[in-house]
Amino acid sequence: MDNFSSSFLSTFSTQKLLYRTPPPPSSSPILNVRIEEKPQQTPTTITIQPTFTSTTPPPNTTSQTPSSIRSSSSNFLQSTKRKVEPSVLALIFNALDDIINTFIDPPIKPSVDPRHVLSQNFAPVLNELPPTECKVIQGSLPPSLNGAYIRNGPNPQFLPRGPYHLFDGDGMLHSLRISQGKASLCSRYVKTNKYTLEREAGFPLFPNVFSGFNGLTASAARGALFAARILTGQVDLSNGFGLANTSLVLFANRLLALGESDLPYSVKLSSNGDVETLGRYYFDGKLFMSMTSHPKIDFDTREVFAFRYGPVPPFLTYFRFDKNGVKQPDVPIFSMTRPSFFHDFAITKKYAIFADIQIVMNPLAMIAGGSLVGSDPSKVSRIGVIPRYAKDESEMKWFDVPGFNIIHAINAWDEEDGNAIEMVAPNILFVEHALERMELVHALVEKVRIDLNTGIVKRNLDFAVINPAYVGKKNKYVYAAVGDPMPKISGVVKLDLSKGDQREDCTVASRMYGEGCYGGEPFFVAREAAKNLDAEEDDGYVVSYVHDENTGESRFLVMDAKSPNLDLVATVKLPRRVPYGFHGLFVAESNLNKI
């Protein structure tokens, strides 16, 4: 879930940074998808005609369908030839699913209409791509980038007929393996239990979480249908139901694909750059429920801090892993008295920090035709602070911070006197539109200072990706994606947090991608960090996938993080387009060999 990434900013000025989103596009719906063989082979084309169930007629797409929706790989062509013979019971259930999508809950809202949501480069690539060589068309790839840049994101295995939200897609990893100045791209699904069962069946079995439970009637109908599939053995939930589509993390020699509705999935990169899913990872049986998509790694201690949240008590549970990846006991937070939406948090050297925001879980809202997840304008937002090595919640402190609604945290640190903490995060304004009307959402990045003795909270506009070595420590630089128009990313800026205190212009470098070109979340890679422990905080590179909607081509950009214009060090032309996605990670070659 990441359209509100802390790295998504736009319209920046000397005192504040905003980002805004346009109305969902009304053109370029996905009606015809052309699948091609590998680019180096003679193209073979087929046409797929997905049916969208809606009360509104499809817009005219004679010249609107972008050429960038072409995909490659013979694997998908082979799989489409495999004839799936569904049982009579499966056919009945599919017919009931069609009735729900057509008459009970058609996707009439733009936020869940796949014709809008999956337009342009948000459209999925309908096949996997085996490791395919890429061409460096500008500059050269630096030696310190030997390894792999891997980005996660939603890529639905089947084009949806009913309601679909951007967060509902199956996880796909787009991995660029870099070695000795050469690069190869590989795109593979995370082979979750959901993906595997649906692939074998040949059609969707699981309801979409973010778009399938709007209103009591639709929720009851889809819930009953899903229960029937479970009872008849079509669906086995013993191996989970998550998407693993949000982010990745590397710790204790494990590379994990994350989605907060399930356990992590362990993945591995082979020597030729291929991506393999090893399966759900239980941490020796100690993790039996879901965890956040944004765990925090302390670069100094190598410990990992995480949490989970849910609709039943305890609504929030905090836990950590030692440097060897051994999970420590849960710390349930019973002072959370109602279910709330927690997507991210922050750590310092002493504390873990949670934001209890105005986005809540409310099953009763469905009775009035609403969604399970929505906003509560009467709720007062607050920040919870707990010692990061706490064994229970007895030392948990809550501080009211009215109107402070964060989806992601950039960083936090302890003040030198030990009596206060500071947290930097983008505050979502008009939070009531956060899930359905993104074009109405704005964000201001704020610095919040909490005096732990007096409880006084001070907020000032300040300004999100940072050098990972500075997580939990006071940092100076932030590399922020420019969402203009959101959720597309038109460029990246480098911000100096120290200038925000004086209300100066905090933008010290920027690079815009150009007309019709959009990227994703930037990622900072330190230059030879393992060999130079005293390197400056901004000594490294900023990398991102960028897509040109004019030509349908995707590229991988490497930018010099220290330069005033974020100068291009290298540009890699990718063999096919990479859809817009969520969070990424760079894994050095030395760490890949340990996985």
Side-chain angles (χ1 to χ4, degrees):
M1 178 246 147
D2 281 293
N3 280 22
F4 311 104
S5 170
S6 58
S7 58
F8 293 171
L9 304 176
S10 73
T11 316
F12 42 95
S13 65
T14 57
Q15 292 190 7
K16 62 184 180 181
L17 299 171
L18 306 175
Y19 64 76
R20 57 178 183 267
T21 60
S26 58
S27 62
S28 302
I30 311 307
L31 293 177
N32 296 281
V33 180
R34 187 170 71 178
I35 309 298
E36 294 184 351
E37 289 282 358
K38 296 181 183 179
Q40 64 268 28
Q41 298 175 349
T42 302
T44 301
T45 63
I46 63 174
T47 299
I48 295 178
Q49 297 281 0
T51 301
F52 291 113
T53 305
S54 175
T55 57
T56 57
N60 184 0
T61 59
T62 304
S63 60
Q64 299 289 338
T65 303
S67 61
S68 60
I69 299 179
R70 300 168 188 156
S71 306
S72 59
S73 173
S74 58
N75 292 346
F76 180 79
L77 291 174
Q78 294 170 359
S79 67
T80 58
K81 296 177 182 178
R82 177 174 57 88
K83 190 173 183 179
V84 178
E85 295 289 348
S87 65
V88 174
L89 196 58
L91 291 173
I92 294 174
F93 288 159
N94 287 345
L96 292 174
D97 199 11
D98 287 339
I99 292 173
I100 296 172
N101 292 329
T102 304
F103 301 106
I104 298 178
D105 187 32
I108 57 176
K109 294 187 294 184
S111 60
V112 294
D113 188 338
R115 298 174 305 160
H116 296 267
V117 178
L118 296 178
S119 63
Q120 299 175 335
N121 196 43
F122 291 101
V125 288
L126 298 181
N127 59 309
E128 298 182 318
L129 179 74
T132 304
E133 186 176 349
C134 307
K135 183 179 180 180
V136 180
I137 59 175
Q138 180 182 356
S140 59
L141 293 166
S144 58
L145 280 186
N146 277 356
Y149 172 68
I150 315 164
R151 205 222 53 213
N152 203 347
N155 194 86
Q157 177 181 184
F158 298 101
L159 291 176
R161 293 175 297 177
Y164 174 86
H165 193 280
L166 185 62
F167 305 156
D168 284 326
D170 298 288
M172 176 174 272
L173 304 180
H174 301 276
S175 174
L176 191 75
R177 184 68 181 266
I178 302 172
S179 178
Q180 299 179 347
K182 297 182 179 180
S184 64
L185 178 69
C186 178
S187 298
R188 296 290 190 192
Y189 281 104
V190 183
K191 304 305 191 300
T192 63
N193 182 51
K194 173 186 180 296
Y195 171 88
T196 303
L197 291 177
E198 293 184 339
R199 190 67 171 175
E200 292 174 352
F203 49 83
L205 295 170
F206 291 70
N208 290 327
V209 174
F210 279 91
S211 59
F213 296 94
N214 293 298
L216 181 61
T217 304
S219 300
R222 288 197 174 94
L225 178 58
F226 189 53
R229 282 180 163 145
I230 295 173
L231 293 174
T232 57
Q234 287 192 14
V235 174
D236 179 8
L237 292 181
S238 62
N239 290 314
F241 53 86
L243 300 166
N245 69 359
T246 306
S247 63
L248 301 110
V249 67
L250 174 70
F251 72 98
N253 297 328
R254 288 277 178 177
L255 179 60
L256 304 174
L258 304 174
E260 57 201 39
S261 60
D262 202 349
L263 298 181
Y265 273 81
S266 178
V267 296
K268 182 178 182 179
L269 269 68
S270 63
S271 58
N272 70 343
D274 210 343
V275 180
E276 176 188 0
T277 301
L278 302 179
R280 291 172 95 207
Y281 193 61
Y282 297 82
F283 292 92
D284 295 325
K286 294 184 178 180
L287 184 67
F288 55 91
M289 296 180 69
S290 62
M291 66 177 276
T292 176
S293 297
H294 293 286
K296 304 301 179 188
I297 301 177
D298 187 309
F299 187 81
D300 297 326
T301 67
R302 310 311 302 171
E303 297 169 291
V304 177
F305 301 83
F307 68 94
R308 66 172 172 268
Y309 68 99
V312 296
F315 302 119
L316 176 65
T317 300
Y318 169 60
F319 52 91
R320 63 185 176 89
F321 305 87
D322 67 18
K323 64 180 181 180
N324 298 314
V326 178
K327 183 182 177 296
Q328 304 303 301
D330 286 347
V331 180
I333 309 299
F334 291 105
S335 53
M336 277 291 304
T337 56
R338 61 179 294 191
S340 195
F341 181 78
F342 289 92
H343 183 64
D344 200 358
F345 75 131
I347 63 167
T348 71
K349 290 297 182 182
K350 295 181 179 179
Y351 301 100
I353 306 163
F354 297 89
D356 181 15
I357 64 176
Q358 290 177 302
I359 299 180
V360 300
M361 295 182 181
N362 186 6
L364 296 179
M366 293 189 298
I367 298 177
S371 173
L372 175 63
V373 180
S375 64
D376 180 1
S378 66
K379 179 180 177 180
V380 177
S381 300
R382 56 182 186 161
I383 291 178
V385 180
I386 187 171
R388 76 178 200 172
Y389 296 112
K391 298 185 182 304
D392 55 52
E393 68 161 330
S394 59
E395 296 183 71
M396 184 87 175
K397 295 182 179 180
W398 291 98
F399 305 88
D400 288 347
V401 190
F404 189 62
N405 293 291
I406 70 168
I407 303 295
H408 290 83
I410 297 175
N411 198 21
W413 57 84
D414 304 301
E415 288 293 87
E416 293 182 359
D417 60 9
N419 297 321
I421 58 175
E422 293 203 359
M423 181 180 186
V424 178
N427 181 21
I428 303 296
L429 305 180
F430 312 115
V431 70
E432 64 272 19
H433 303 303
L435 294 178
E436 292 193 3
R437 296 292 305 278
M438 297 180 192
E439 72 275 13
L440 301 179
V441 172
H442 297 260
L444 294 173
V445 178
E446 299 190 29
K447 180 187 288 183
V448 178
R449 186 180 190 277
I450 301 175
D451 189 310
L452 298 175
N453 292 329
T454 65
I456 296 176
V457 179
K458 294 182 179 180
R459 299 164 61 180
N460 66 301
L461 298 181
D462 213 309
F463 346 104
V465 195
I466 67 171
N467 185 331
Y470 286 80
V471 171
K473 299 183 290 187
K474 187 171 184 177
N475 68 295
K476 183 176 182 179
Y477 297 112
V478 169
Y479 302 90
V482 181
D484 186 21
M486 273 291 290
K488 296 179 181 179
I489 304 304
S490 57
V492 59
V493 295
K494 178 182 180 181
L495 310 176
D496 183 343
L497 297 181
S498 65
K499 293 189 175 186
D501 295 331
Q502 288 76 40
R503 300 290 179 122
E504 300 177 34
D505 184 359
C506 56
T507 305
V508 294
S510 66
R511 169 164 291 277
M512 306 308 291
Y513 298 137
E515 185 69 27
C517 297
Y518 303 98
E521 178 193 57
F523 191 84
F524 178 88
V525 183
R527 190 195 322 260
E528 305 290 353
K531 299 179 181 179
N532 185 8
L533 299 179
D534 297 324
E536 295 180 335
E537 180 185 340
D538 61 344
D539 185 12
Y541 306 97
V542 177
V543 301
S544 180
Y545 289 134
V546 174
H547 182 73
D548 187 338
E549 295 188 348
N550 303 304
T551 64
E553 294 180 348
S554 294
R555 293 164 288 159
F556 175 73
L557 301 187
V558 181
M559 294 162 273
D560 183 352
K562 288 180 70 71
S563 62
N565 297 310
L566 299 178
D567 297 334
L568 286 178
V569 175
T571 301
V572 179
K573 182 180 178 180
L574 304 179
R576 75 167 184 185
R577 73 181 178 92
V578 173
Y580 304 129
F582 294 153
H583 299 288
L585 178 72
F586 182 82
V587 183
E589 186 72 28
S590 57
N591 289 324
L592 286 176
N593 296 332
K594 299 176 184 177
I595 297 175

